[in-house]
Amino acid sequence: MQFGLLGTGFQLFGYEEKLQSNPLQHLFEVYIQVNKEAADDKSVAKLAQEFFRRLELGDVQALSLWQKFRDLSIEEYIRIYERLGIYFDEYSGESFYREKSQEVLKLLESKGLLLKTIKGTAVVDISGNGDPSSICTVMRSDGTSLYATRDLAAAIDRMDKYNFDTMIYVTDKGQKKHFQQVFQMLKIMGYDWAERCQHVPFGVVQGMKTRRGDVTFLEDVLNEIQLRMLQNMASIKTTKELKNPQETAERVGLAALIIQDFKGLLLSDYKFSWDRVFQSRGDTGVFLQYTHARLHSLEETFGCGYLNDFNTACLQEPQSVSILQHLLRFDEVLYRSSQDLQPRHIVSYLLTLSHLAAVAHKTLQIKDSPPEVAGARLHLFKAVRSVLANGMKLLGITPVCRM
């Protein structure tokens, strides 16, 4: 239905040149405007319904407009995701299942699960005992499909196509009930693989504003982070001469953003704070990057001389023992995150590791120590850096070697 609104909105208020130059921004403005109009003017809402119906029936003109919006949006997504180091093998949203959702309705009917209401809609009673809270609407009165119908079609198709071990849906927590209902319906339709479907819900980021106002575009956030990070780096005397300060600022800034986002339960809402994001001390992504860069420079300074000659028996100090014990827990932490699909276990592990490394860096001297002691300490720091880098990469962070 949102698409019916967008299609109608574009016909009323859209500009082709604006669409080409900044698709996401322009479509967003059109969407806001048409929603306002539809709230005040029933005829606009009617036009939107009609546009959506034409889409469902495969009307060429409606579909070509939709296709254009989709292609432009995906181009933008690919470009923005690339900045985050994320690449998708396939983009197939629910709209892809327009035709298949009609097959799902026939299937539900043949299994005796489809109930018609007085209003002419079709519903499924998931509980089987008429409990109103477990009634799910799968068809509108004009015969068009709903989100749930298309998600059923998508799940069945993806099973046919991939024969998956697990299918994980990552969406905001507002869709929790929707997925519970979809998985339940798959179950009562006789698909025992519904057990293998899982919803990972995430919370809302509050108070995130950029210079362009209240609604936040990820790209604006990324640009602002890079800019602020560059300013921070320029004001610090110890910033080394960097080949590409923009790239470093982007990587450190992204680490800051990701760590703030992954620190708590994914489900929890949290208040965004620009100041907290950029602290170089404390539990932040900047601190992780700083630690990694520092350990890297340690290896560069002493690496050639000491790495061959070492004896682990030299690592007797409490700081060394604490680090060794912590390093041993890495696989346990990875296993835990793989089980409950929460990145916070890895985040808290890496932050603790960085704090331990900071203390050790002050107390465990390499310079002027006997060669085998120096070698052992250097190996210990190298192991810390290696685990830190691997953990950061798992979270989608590219470690920097200088900052």
Side-chain angles (χ1 to χ4, degrees):
M1 195 49 211
Q2 267 69 19
F3 216 92
L5 278 163
L6 193 57
T8 303
F10 191 75
Q11 288 169 337
L12 294 171
F13 320 112
Y15 292 99
E16 190 58 42
E17 54 278 16
K18 280 189 180 176
L19 181 68
Q20 294 300 334
S21 67
N22 193 344
L24 294 187
Q25 178 70 36
H26 186 51
L27 289 175
F28 176 72
E29 286 161 1
V30 165
Y31 184 64
I32 295 286
Q33 199 170 350
V34 74
N35 268 293
K36 277 193 190 124
E37 297 287 328
D40 302 334
D41 183 347
K42 289 282 178 280
S43 68
V44 174
K46 256 205 153 42
L47 282 170
Q49 272 169 330
E50 184 47 39
F51 190 97
F52 176 61
R53 214 172 73 81
R54 280 165 47 211
L55 264 180
E56 286 257 301
L57 295 171
D59 174 83
V60 179
Q61 199 190 354
L63 274 176
S64 78
L65 191 61
W66 164 78
Q67 189 68 48
K68 179 161 59 176
F69 291 172
R70 184 182 188 273
D71 293 345
L72 285 166
S73 298
I74 287 177
E75 261 171 52
E76 285 286 282
Y77 293 155
I78 289 171
R79 187 177 63 77
I80 293 166
Y81 276 127
E82 202 175 324
R83 284 181 74 175
L84 298 169
I86 294 170
Y87 303 90
F88 288 99
D89 297 311
E90 189 184 321
Y91 283 84
S92 71
E94 45 165 316
S95 50
F96 191 68
Y97 298 98
R98 182 175 52 84
E99 285 158 21
K100 289 199 165 95
S101 61
Q102 295 304 319
E103 292 166 29
V104 167
L105 292 171
K106 285 181 192 140
L107 195 61
L108 285 164
E109 194 159 26
S110 71
K111 290 180 184 283
L113 296 167
L114 202 63
L115 310 169
K116 289 274 168 54
T117 67
I118 307 164
K119 292 177 186 163
T121 60
V123 300
V124 174
D125 174 10
I126 298 168
S127 65
N129 59 18
D131 172 7
S133 69
S134 61
I135 298 279
C136 182
T137 308
V138 288
M139 187 185 83
R140 290 193 179 85
S141 54
D142 62 2
T144 54
S145 67
L146 280 96
Y147 182 34
T149 334
R150 296 188 293 274
D151 254 345
L152 288 172
I156 295 164
D157 185 65
R158 286 166 184 154
M159 187 61 195
D160 289 345
K161 198 168 169 185
Y162 299 113
N163 189 23
F164 54 76
D165 296 301
T166 312
M167 177 152 64
I168 301 165
Y169 294 83
V170 184
T171 74
D172 74 290
K173 61 183 177 184
Q175 299 192 43
K176 204 167 162 199
K177 188 179 177 189
H178 162 78
F179 285 109
Q180 282 169 348
Q181 291 190 328
V182 168
F183 301 161
Q184 279 298 115
M185 280 191 283
L186 287 167
K187 230 177 263 178
I188 61 176
M189 287 168 83
Y191 295 114
D192 54 0
W193 48 261
E195 296 285 344
R196 293 187 244 161
C197 297
Q198 196 179 349
H199 179 216
V200 175
F202 56 81
V204 181
V205 184
Q206 295 154 337
M208 195 182 222
K209 285 190 171 80
T210 58
R211 288 166 197 166
R212 286 219 313 219
D214 290 358
V215 172
T216 315
F217 285 81
L218 178 60
E219 188 165 25
D220 292 348
V221 175
L222 298 182
N223 292 341
E224 190 146 343
I225 272 193
Q226 189 189 39
L227 190 70
R228 289 183 185 223
M229 205 64 234
L230 274 170
Q231 288 166 346
N232 281 9
M233 281 158 52
S235 68
I236 295 169
K237 300 267 190 306
T238 55
T239 298
K240 301 202 170 162
E241 287 303 311
L242 297 169
K243 280 193 189 114
N244 188 343
Q246 264 83 9
E247 189 180 86
T248 302
E250 174 110 328
R251 286 177 177 173
V252 176
L254 270 178
L257 192 64
I258 290 170
I259 294 301
Q260 168 145 310
D261 203 53
F262 282 175
K263 239 160 69 173
L265 267 172
L266 289 181
L267 195 59
S268 307
D269 299 342
Y270 71 90
K271 242 190 164 36
F272 181 83
S273 145
W274 282 109
D275 297 335
R276 202 174 60 236
V277 163
F278 289 119
Q279 282 169 1
S280 57
R281 292 275 179 270
D283 291 343
T284 64
V286 180
F287 176 55
L288 290 186
Q289 288 284 31
Y290 174 70
T291 306
H292 183 272
R294 227 173 144 189
L295 294 172
H296 186 268
S297 96
L298 204 61
E299 276 172 55
E300 275 190 330
T301 312
F302 299 107
C304 317
Y306 292 120
L307 276 173
N308 305 328
D309 186 17
F310 79 101
N311 172 8
T312 47
C314 300
L315 299 171
Q316 300 292 338
E317 308 80 6
Q319 294 89 340
S320 306
V321 175
S322 298
I323 287 177
L324 288 166
Q325 285 172 332
H326 194 64
L327 288 174
L328 281 171
R329 289 189 46 238
F330 190 41
D331 58 347
E332 168 200 322
V333 169
L334 296 186
Y335 178 74
R336 200 169 161 198
S337 275
S338 76
Q339 290 305 292
D340 68 1
L341 302 179
Q342 295 288 334
R344 69 195 173 107
H345 310 306
I346 299 173
V347 171
S348 105
Y349 174 86
L350 296 177
L351 289 166
T352 303
L353 182 62
S354 296
H355 286 298
L356 290 171
V359 172
H361 190 268
K362 283 197 191 91
T363 51
L364 306 176
Q365 297 297 320
I366 291 174
K367 200 180 174 187
D368 304 331
S369 297
E372 60 173 17
V373 174
R377 287 174 179 176
L378 197 57
H379 263 277
L380 182 68
F381 286 127
K382 194 177 178 186
V384 171
R385 188 183 70 81
S386 162
V387 169
L388 189 57
N390 286 332
M392 284 158 83
K393 286 176 195 164
L394 280 174
L395 298 170
I397 297 169
T398 306
V400 300
C401 295
R402 285 187 170 74
M403 66 184 264

